[in-house]
Amino acid sequence: FKFLKRLMLVHGRYCYRRNSKLIIYSFYKNIMLQLTQFFFIFFNGFSGTSLFDQYVLPFYNVLFTALPILVMAVLDRDISPEMAVKYPQLYSQGHRNYHFKVKVFMQWVGNVIFQSAVCFFIPALCMAFSSIYDVFDGHNGKVAMDLSFFGVTIHTAVLLVVTFKVCLETTWWTPINLIIVITTAACWPLYAGG
């Protein structure tokens, strides 16, 4: 029982916060990707055509977005262990479900709906305007983007937004966090360009 106070007030509190962020962010990043696919069905005539390459979808969770949130879920802390022991009332956030309740989840869902709409519709409008411009410019209506380029553009926007979101949610940066975020962000251009 000698270490029980520190175990509860420090590690218990960290664990609650980290697990809350991990679960909510995991939903966030998957909703973000799938909503862009959902918006695309209204433009492809409900044909079932995928916006993304068949190899992009499995790698999204494994290669491009998993490590930053896992590292954050292991290393993140908002206050020092000494402060957590000194102010035990901070432990009550877990009892009140401060970080993991329906209201917080719905705020994240509202946020992801807006962000995915921006990630999809801005490239879609650019594609529409570029084809209109080409028609009037005498290029015989050739579209500046094909489906593959359009999918890569949207996937790039999605990856940038979800990576930036995990950076915003990280409260304690370590060299490991920084290396993992930079490495996973660099994987996408290497994959998309190859």
Side-chain angles (χ1 to χ4, degrees), residues 19-160:
N19 283 333
S20 298
K21 284 185 179 184
L22 174 71
I23 292 167
I24 290 176
Y25 180 81
S26 295
F27 276 105
Y28 166 85
K29 68 186 180 86
N30 287 306
I31 292 171
M32 173 71 98
L33 183 70
Q34 296 309 319
L35 273 179
T36 55
Q37 288 265 73
F38 174 74
F39 295 139
F40 183 62
I41 66 171
F42 297 104
F43 291 89
N44 71 8
F46 298 92
S47 68
T49 304
S50 179
L51 179 60
F52 306 117
D53 181 46
Q54 65 180 346
Y55 298 110
V56 168
L57 295 175
F59 287 137
Y60 179 75
N61 279 321
V62 176
L63 183 63
F64 304 128
T65 61
L67 284 178
I69 187 62
L70 289 177
V71 170
M72 188 191 80
V74 171
L75 299 176
D76 198 39
R77 57 184 188 181
D78 60 334
I79 59 174
S80 68
E82 294 79 22
M83 292 295 285
V85 172
K86 185 176 180 181
Y87 299 102
Q89 62 269 26
L90 292 174
Y91 182 74
S92 67
Q93 289 179 347
H95 294 295
R96 289 180 287 149
N97 230 3
Y98 184 76
H99 296 288
F100 192 68
K101 56 185 170 185
V102 174
K103 181 181 176 184
V104 172
F105 183 76
M106 294 314 290
Q107 289 171 341
W108 279 69
V109 168
N111 195 5
V112 76
I113 289 170
F114 172 73
Q115 291 173 358
S116 63
V118 168
C119 286
F120 179 80
F121 287 109
I122 288 179
L125 287 172
C126 290
M127 184 174 172
F129 286 131
S130 70
S131 63
I132 291 170
Y133 171 75
D134 284 342
V135 168
F136 291 115
D137 196 32
H139 290 98
N140 300 324
K142 293 181 182 175
V143 180
M145 289 192 247
D146 62 348
L147 181 60
S148 176
F149 186 78
F150 185 54
V152 167
T153 303
I154 290 175
H155 199 272
T156 302
V158 166
L159 284 175
L160 287 173

Side-chain angles (χ1 to χ4, degrees), residues 25 68 72 161-171 173 181:
Y25 180 81
M72 188 191 80
V161 169
V162 298
T163 302
F164 187 65
K165 182 71 170 175
V166 79
C167 291
L168 287 176
E169 291 298 319
T170 302
T171 54
W173 281 89
V181 166

